[in-house]
Amino acid sequence: MAKITFHGAAQEVTGSCHLLSTPALGEVLLDCGMLQGMRGKHKVSKKQFNFNPRSIDAVILSHAHLDHSGRLPSLVHDGFEGPIYCTEATSQLLPVMLLDALGLYENDLMRENRRLMRKGKPEIEPLYSKADVLKVFDLLKPIAYREKKQLGDGALLCFYDAGHILGSAIVELKFDDEGLQKTLVFSGDLGNKDTLLMNDPTLLQHADIVLMEGTYGDREHKSLGDTLTQFKEVLHQAFENGGNVMIPAFAVGRTQELLLYLGKLQMAGELDNWQIFLDSPMAIEVTQIYDQWLPTLDCEGVKPLCTGEQTLLKNFLSTLHLMVSAEDSMSINKISKGALIIAGSGMCTGGRITHHFKHRIWDSRNTLIFVGFQAYGTLGRILVEGAQHIKLFGDDFIVKANVETLGGFSAHAGQRELINWVANFKSFPKVVLVHGEPDALTALSEKLLHEHNIKAEIPILGQSIEF
C-alpha cells in the first residue's frame, strides 16, 4: 500500500517535505524546503533529514520558494542523485533562489565558526557547498504545465498552474499500487484568485488522496479593491508625515505584484511623488524572469505589459530605481523623506530590509508596511504583533515607525478559496492538511466537515498515512 510520511510543513508553515513510498515509484520526495522562523534558527549545523537521501529516487518540486526548495543542496550533499521534476519557470528561478541562499548560509556559518573559535570549540562543517547547488541545477527536469511525464513503470506526473508565483504547480501523480490505479494530488501553495498578475489555481476533480496547504485556513483576505484603497491611503498618509516607507517583500511573487500595483496607482494619478527603490539584486533578477513570462500570466487589466513595450522593469514605473550594489543600497540612507523602499527578506529574518530598519524604525515619521505572511518566530511576526523594542545587529532599537499590515496582497488562497478548491473533487478523496499553523488547520478542518462532510486529517511531524 502507498504511504506518505510528513517530514516538514506539518502543523507549521515552512519546511515543506513529504515522502511518498510506493512499490512502483520507490521513494519520491514532494518538495524539500527550508525551515524558517523558530525551528529554522539553528539550521547552520542542524541535521537536515530524518531519512536517507541516498534512498530517494526522485524529487517533485511544487515551486521555487525556499520553504519548498531550500534543502535541495543538502539533499544532494548527503547523497541524492535522482531527477528533480519541476515546471519550466521554476527551473529558471531556482538558480537565483539557491545561489542567494548559499551566500546567506555561508555568511551565517562564518559568523558561527568565528564565535566557536573564540570559545576554543571546533568549527562546524558546512551542510552543503556551491558544488552541491550546481549539481541541483544539473538534476532539474523541467516539464511544461499539463504535459504528462512518465515516471517509473506506468506512473504519470502532470503539473497544473497553482497561481501562487511564477511556475508554481499543483502536482498530480498517477501510479499503480498493487494492481490498483491511484492518484495523489499535492496542492503546493495555492494562489489567491483576487490578484491581477497570476492565473487562478487550476481545479481538479479526481484523486485518491489530496495534500492541501492551509496557510490561511482560518481567515479570509480583504478584497483586492479594498486593499489597494488601503495601500493608497497608507502611502498618502506616509507621504504627508514627511518620512520614508519600508516594505519587506519576498523577491519571488510579492515584489512583482507590488510593482504592478504601484504602477497602476501611478497611472491613475493616485500615487504621491514617491521615489521607489527596488533594493534587492535577487528581486531584480527574478523580475527580469517574470518579464519573460508575462504573456502567459493573467494580463487582464494590465494588458500594456503583454505588448513588450512595457514590462514590470521597463517604461512602467517612472520613478523606479534598481539598487544592485551594497553602495547603491547604502546611498538610500541619505534620503530623509519620499523614499519607498522594497527590500528583502520578506519575513525580516535578514537581508537589506534589516539595515533599513536600523536607520529608520526608530523614527515616527517613517512607515513600515507588511504585505505578506509572517511566520511564527520571525522578526516580521514580532513587529506585526506590536513589539515596541527589537534587537538588530547586537543593538536594541525602539520601534516608533508606524506599522501597517495589508492582508489582501497575499499570494495564498484564503479560507473560502481553499474550501472551494478541495470541494471540487468528485471522487471523495482522503484529504490531508499541511503547510499551516495548528489553529489555521483546525479551523479549516472544522469548516470542511461542517460544510462538505469532508473529514480532513492533520498530520504531525514524522507521521505516516497509508492510502
Side-chain angles (χ1 to χ4, degrees), residues 245-382:
V245 165
M246 298 168 284
I247 306 181
F250 299 104
V252 183
R254 191 54 38 81
T255 292
Q256 293 72 40
E257 294 275 356
L258 280 171
L259 293 177
L260 175 61
Y261 298 139
L262 287 167
K264 287 182 70 65
L265 286 174
Q266 188 179 75
M267 287 178 182
E270 297 177 326
L271 186 67
D272 291 301
N273 190 31
W274 288 104
Q275 296 299 306
I276 299 164
F277 297 90
L278 181 50
D279 188 22
S280 166
M282 181 179 170
I284 293 166
E285 194 171 353
V286 166
T287 308
Q288 290 168 340
I289 296 172
Y290 264 75
D291 283 345
Q292 297 172 29
W293 289 88
L294 282 175
T296 72
L297 302 180
D298 186 1
C299 286
E300 183 181 348
V302 66
K303 291 195 183 299
L305 294 181
C306 293
T307 65
E309 297 172 6
Q310 291 181 331
T311 67
L312 292 168
L313 294 180
K314 183 181 75 174
N315 303 327
F316 186 55
L317 261 169
S318 64
T319 59
L320 177 63
H321 306 274
L322 306 180
M323 315 304 281
V324 177
S325 69
E327 290 75 16
D328 291 339
S329 180
M330 288 187 287
S331 70
I332 307 173
N333 297 335
K334 301 172 185 175
I335 302 173
S336 61
K337 63 179 182 178
L340 190 158
I341 307 156
I342 302 170
S345 70
M347 295 187 192
C348 312
T349 52
R352 292 185 179 183
I353 195 66
T354 55
H355 291 274
H356 293 299
F357 285 176
K358 176 181 176 180
H359 288 277
R360 294 178 174 83
I361 204 162
W362 42 265
D363 190 335
S364 62
R365 295 173 301 169
N366 295 326
T367 300
L368 169 59
I369 304 177
F370 285 99
V371 293
F373 185 85
Q374 304 298 309
Y376 176 72
T378 61
L379 176 58
R381 180 68 162 262
I382 291 167

Side-chain angles (χ1 to χ4, degrees), residues 139-419:
L139 297 176
L140 295 179
K141 306 294 181 188
I143 304 171
Y145 285 131
R146 297 183 180 269
E147 176 187 344
K148 292 193 169 27
K149 176 71 174 179
Q150 186 160 334
L151 309 185
D153 186 15
L156 286 177
L157 168 65
C158 191
F159 289 129
Y160 298 91
D161 195 340
H164 172 60
I165 63 166
L166 181 66
S168 61
I170 298 163
V171 175
E172 179 189 71
L173 189 58
K174 297 183 177 182
F175 55 93
D176 179 82
D177 184 39
E178 299 176 349
L180 295 175
Q181 183 73 16
K182 291 188 177 176
T183 301
L184 175 147
V185 170
F186 170 43
S187 72
D189 285 352
L190 294 173
N192 182 355
K193 291 175 69 175
D194 199 10
T195 66
L196 293 179
L197 190 57
M198 302 307 301
N199 297 311
D200 291 348
T202 307
L203 294 173
L204 301 180
Q205 295 188 346
H206 300 287
D208 295 287
I209 186 169
V210 175
L211 275 59
M212 183 177 74
E213 67 115 327
T215 311
Y216 286 95
D218 58 347
R219 68 198 110 156
E220 300 292 356
H221 305 306
K222 262 187 182 176
S223 73
L224 180 60
D226 288 345
T227 302
L228 285 174
T229 298
Q230 183 188 3
F231 191 34
K232 177 178 65 176
E233 291 171 351
V234 168
L235 289 179
H236 182 67
Q237 185 58 56
F239 199 81
E240 291 292 306
N241 291 345
N244 300 294
V245 165
M246 298 168 284
I247 306 181
F250 299 104
V252 183
R254 191 54 38 81
T255 292
Q256 293 72 40
E257 294 275 356
L258 280 171
L259 293 177
L260 175 61
Y261 298 139
L262 287 167
K264 287 182 70 65
L265 286 174
Q266 188 179 75
M267 287 178 182
E270 297 177 326
L271 186 67
D272 291 301
N273 190 31
W274 288 104
Q275 296 299 306
I276 299 164
F277 297 90
L278 181 50
D279 188 22
S280 166
M282 181 179 170
I284 293 166
E285 194 171 353
V286 166
T287 308
Q288 290 168 340
I289 296 172
Y290 264 75
D291 283 345
Q292 297 172 29
W293 289 88
L294 282 175
T296 72
L297 302 180
D298 186 1
C299 286
E300 183 181 348
V302 66
K303 291 195 183 299
L305 294 181
C306 293
T307 65
E309 297 172 6
Q310 291 181 331
T311 67
L312 292 168
L313 294 180
K314 183 181 75 174
N315 303 327
F316 186 55
L317 261 169
S318 64
T319 59
L320 177 63
H321 306 274
L322 306 180
M323 315 304 281
V324 177
S325 69
E327 290 75 16
D328 291 339
S329 180
M330 288 187 287
S331 70
I332 307 173
N333 297 335
K334 301 172 185 175
I335 302 173
S336 61
K337 63 179 182 178
L340 190 158
I341 307 156
I342 302 170
S345 70
M347 295 187 192
C348 312
T349 52
R352 292 185 179 183
I353 195 66
T354 55
H355 291 274
H356 293 299
F357 285 176
K358 176 181 176 180
H359 288 277
R360 294 178 174 83
I361 204 162
W362 42 265
D363 190 335
S364 62
R365 295 173 301 169
N366 295 326
T367 300
L368 169 59
I369 304 177
F370 285 99
V371 293
F373 185 85
Q374 304 298 309
Y376 176 72
T378 61
L379 176 58
R381 180 68 162 262
I382 291 167
L383 286 165
V384 164
E385 291 179 345
Q388 296 183 345
H389 295 84
I390 60 170
K391 199 171 189 70
L392 278 176
F393 309 108
D395 295 322
D396 290 310
F397 290 85
I398 189 167
V399 179
K400 287 190 176 180
N402 303 294
V403 179
E404 303 280 352
T405 301
L406 306 184
F409 285 147
S410 177
H412 286 266
Q415 184 189 70
R416 178 52 46 196
E417 290 177 337
L418 290 168
I419 290 170

